[in-house]
Amino acid sequence: MNQNDKDLNHSFGKQQVGSEQREHLIRKVFTGVAPRYDLMNDAMSFGIHRLWKRTLVKMAAPQAGQTLLDLAGGTGDVAIKMAGENRQLIIADPSIAMMQEGRKRHQIVSIATTGESLALADNSIDIVTLAFGARNMTIMQDGLAEILRVLKPGGKLLCLEFSSPHFWLEPFYDLYSRYVIPRLGAWISGQPEAYAYLIESIRQFPNQVNMKKILEETGYQCVSYRNLSFGIACIHIGQKPRG
Ligand SMILES: C[S@@+](CC[C@H](N)C(=O)[O-])C[C@H]1O[C@@H](n2cnc3c(N)ncnc32)[C@H](O)[C@@H]1O
């Protein structure tokens, strides 16, 4: 059992889970939450996730002629904001339920695939956005290496994730995520356990500095990050080496 698997044993009601079981359980989580996913995001974050996503897209600065991948794209909330004239845009996500929910709002090309084994050619993508998806990968480092493979030399990954808030905010954030979010999850989506998993996966996610280190160790260059809302969320940006 690897460290990822051990960490996840907290996340599914103390069950002991291995990688395959984890993947299956995560798939079940997103199938369950798909119909109310976007509404729940608004309720949980008081709509602030929209500002975070807008910042992500601004930092990505997509251009005409580029090929863009929104990995773990779910319902396409980020991809819709990346769309524009003369850009090729692809959503990739293993959850058919999440992508089908998105189909009600957009017609963006969507492929069912995990981040750890992308069905895309080497050096084919200019920009990858990964919003709230890194922590759901079975082995995140494999996913980050796979993104590096599909990026063109000089191409960028922008990863938006929950992170570690400033120390003064931590007690409030902790209470909110421990007690309020699972209740909201129960009330709005009827899926308290799914939201308990999502909160646990946030707790276990590497902080800003460690995530930067992981990206550098994977082979990304010029890695930097920008805190959002006092570190509740964070955007990491890294580039594929040119030569
Ligand atoms: C919290 S949602 C984020 C959706 C969207 N990016 C957004 O910000 O609204 C996480 C997404 O990660 C997807 N996911 C789960 N496991 C994954 C994996 N191994 N590789 C890529 N995506 C995965 C889920 O299906 C889900 O749609």
Side-chain angles (χ1 to χ4, degrees):
M1 190 176 287
N2 64 30
Q3 188 58 43
N4 264 7
D5 298 338
K6 282 185 201 149
D7 290 347
L8 263 147
N9 291 332
H10 300 287
S11 311
F12 295 106
K14 306 272 185 260
Q15 292 172 51
Q16 297 290 304
V17 296
S19 296
E20 259 176 50
Q21 220 184 337
R22 172 191 156 98
E23 202 176 321
H24 173 74
L25 288 166
I26 292 175
R27 202 71 44 82
K28 224 169 114 189
V29 163
F30 286 103
T31 302
V33 302
R36 293 284 173 113
Y37 175 77
D38 291 309
L39 177 64
M40 184 60 194
N41 269 352
D42 279 332
M44 246 171 20
S45 73
F46 308 101
I48 293 169
H49 75 106
R50 290 170 186 271
L51 297 178
W52 296 341
K53 288 172 180 169
R54 232 173 278 149
T55 305
L56 176 78
V57 171
K58 216 166 155 193
M59 285 172 71
Q63 314 270 321
Q66 288 187 323
T67 305
L68 316 169
L69 170 66
D70 184 32
L71 177 58
T75 58
D77 213 23
V78 170
I80 289 168
K81 296 173 178 61
M82 293 285 283
E85 294 250 313
N86 240 332
R87 295 170 198 169
Q88 202 186 348
L89 184 53
I90 307 161
I91 293 175
D93 194 292
S95 171
I96 307 274
M98 289 287 278
M99 290 190 290
Q100 270 174 346
E101 197 54 37
R103 278 260 159 267
K104 294 176 187 167
R105 284 184 289 142
H106 64 77
Q107 292 299 313
I108 300 165
V109 173
S110 305
I111 55 173
T113 180
T114 65
E116 296 91 327
S117 75
L118 287 170
L120 293 166
D122 296 358
N123 306 319
S124 57
I125 308 287
D126 292 284
I127 300 173
V128 175
T129 46
L130 176 62
F132 307 114
R135 69 177 195 278
N136 293 303
M137 289 183 184
T138 309
I139 301 173
M140 183 179 70
Q141 281 84 341
D142 288 358
L144 296 175
E146 189 63 350
I147 294 168
L148 201 58
R149 177 185 70 75
V150 302
L151 275 173
K152 293 179 185 174
K156 292 182 290 186
L157 163 66
L158 290 101
C159 173
L160 167 61
E161 256 306 344
F162 288 102
S163 201
S164 297
H166 285 192
F167 71 96
W168 57 266
L169 192 57
E170 247 173 43
F172 306 102
Y173 181 64
D174 195 54
L175 284 176
Y176 181 72
S177 58
R178 203 178 286 274
Y179 298 106
V180 181
I181 291 181
R183 283 173 176 78
L184 271 179
W187 184 48
I188 295 178
S189 71
Q191 307 281 329
E193 280 173 16
Y195 281 92
Y197 154 70
L198 291 172
I199 292 305
E200 193 57 37
S201 64
I202 291 169
R203 260 184 242 289
Q204 290 168 11
F205 197 73
N207 67 18
Q208 289 83 339
V209 173
N210 289 337
M211 184 63 184
K212 180 172 183 280
K213 218 179 283 168
I214 290 170
L215 285 164
E216 286 166 346
E217 282 166 7
T218 309
Y220 289 86
Q221 270 184 352
C222 307
V223 180
S224 60
Y225 65 84
R226 173 168 169 185
N227 278 328
L228 303 168
S229 305
F230 306 103
I232 290 177
C234 179
I235 296 172
H236 278 84
I237 182 161
Q239 203 173 24
K240 178 163 174 172
R242 285 182 193 278

